[in-house]
Every structure is written in C-alpha cells, then in structure tokens.
Amino acid sequence: MRWNSTCRLPIEVQFEDIDGGGVVHHPNYLKYLERARCHAMREIGVPFEQCLQDGIAFVVAEIHGKYLSPLQFGARMCVETRLVAVRKSSLKVIQKIVSAERQPILDEATESFLKGDRQTHFIAQLRLVAVDLKSGKPIPLPESLRLAGGVPDSLQMAVHPEWTDVRIVPSGEN
C-alpha cells in the first residue's frame, strides 16, 4: 500500500464464494478486500504478521462500499488497493474490484481512481486505525509503515490538508 499508487491482486471467484442466486455472496467482497490489503502490506515489506508481532493491529473503523455489478462463479478479477489519506493513527484506503482485463493504471490520479467505470464491480472506502493489541487503544502509525508506504511527512501534509481526508462520495451526495 504505497502512497497514491495502486497495488493489484488477481482473484478468481470460487464456487464457495457464490450464494443460491449464483452470484458472489456480499460478505465475500469484504474478504477479497482484506486479502488485497494483506497483499499490499507484504508488497511494501510491512506484512500484517510483523505488525501483530510488534503488538499492532489495524482495525476497520469505517467502511463505505458500493456494489456496482454482480460477480459470478469463475470470474477473473483484480482487487486494486490505494492508500489515499493519512492521519496520526489512521489510514484511508480505496479499494476496487475490477475485471482482470482492465488495464492497470498504476499512477492514475486519485480523482480518477475514486470513480468506478464499466469494468468496476465494487468500490469501497475504508478507514483503518492502528491500535495497540494489549490495550486496544489507538496509537500513532508505525514509522516503518510511513517510510515503506512513502507516506508524506507532516510538513507536506500541512501543505496538502486534503491528504488527510478523501471521499469516494462527495459530502453532499447520499
């Protein structure tokens, strides 16, 4: 999960993922997102396993998702993950489940990434909070994660306050 770049994880819809209607059962979308976040963390060299060993967990504090079109058994997809905003103790991540044929746009502008297109099946915005495993209380993001993820420093963040809050849905829209 590098700052403002896209990590992709290929997935294929398995039989156990579908419901009686033949489409992916809704909680499985969240499982795909979780796998992709773990993959993204490994890609930058800060695997979740290491965070747990260091006594840190990332909990989903908020999730806003939009189902745009159904996924069916055998579909080949990619989960695209992008870190788009950071605060002292939390990360905001945008994830999309897209057709595998969609050409990766690894450096596309954040504004473009936030929009779904006809090859996007699901899009979600998540806020993850770093917590101490023993106390369960929020803690500052580990410096190792900030460095590995290329997160801007506090001076850059002060110049760009929009980097602390990004939304897939404009605030006036329901």
Side-chain angles (χ1 to χ4, degrees):
M1 247 180 332
R2 290 204 45 84
W3 178 258
N4 230 2
S5 66
T6 305
C7 181
R8 290 172 51 95
L9 175 69
I11 58 170
E12 183 176 344
V13 175
Q14 302 299 311
F15 181 75
E16 69 266 12
D17 296 338
I18 62 174
D19 62 17
V23 297
V24 171
H25 190 54
H26 64 277
N28 290 323
Y29 288 84
L30 301 180
K31 290 180 182 181
Y32 298 154
L33 300 184
E34 186 77 44
R35 277 185 221 147
R37 287 193 307 278
C38 287
H39 171 74
M41 293 288 285
R42 278 192 293 278
E43 286 284 307
I44 66 167
V46 185
F48 276 123
E49 299 87 351
Q50 183 62 50
C51 293
L52 292 173
Q53 288 174 4
D54 294 341
I56 302 166
F58 289 90
V59 298
V60 176
E62 275 181 72
I63 183 167
H64 301 276
K66 289 185 176 184
Y67 296 90
L68 301 172
S69 63
L71 294 174
Q72 297 177 332
F73 173 64
R76 294 178 189 271
M77 313 305 296
C78 280
V79 182
E80 297 181 342
T81 303
R82 182 179 279 212
L83 173 62
V84 295
V86 178
R87 290 192 174 172
K88 181 180 176 183
S89 298
S90 67
L91 308 169
K92 191 165 280 185
V93 177
I94 303 292
Q95 292 185 278
K96 293 168 43 168
I97 299 176
V98 300
S99 298
E101 298 81 35
R102 181 180 189 266
Q103 292 301 309
I105 307 172
L106 300 180
D107 60 350
E108 80 183 302
T110 298
E111 299 78 28
S112 299
F113 187 79
L114 300 178
K115 298 176 182 164
D117 58 29
R118 63 183 174 81
Q119 293 180 312
T120 302
H121 296 270
F122 183 77
I123 188 167
Q125 168 184 288
L126 299 96
R127 187 169 60 91
L128 306 169
V129 177
V131 297
D132 178 88
L133 279 175
K134 290 181 183 172
S135 70
K137 298 197 184 280
I139 58 172
L141 293 173
E143 191 61 23
S144 60
L145 178 62
R146 286 182 172 276
L147 292 173
V151 175
D153 63 29
S154 56
L155 292 175
Q156 292 172 305
M157 297 295 261
V159 174
H160 297 282
E162 69 276 12
W163 291 351
T164 63
D165 191 21
V166 173
R167 299 169 196 259
I168 58 172
V169 179
S171 57
E173 196 176 305
N174 292 340

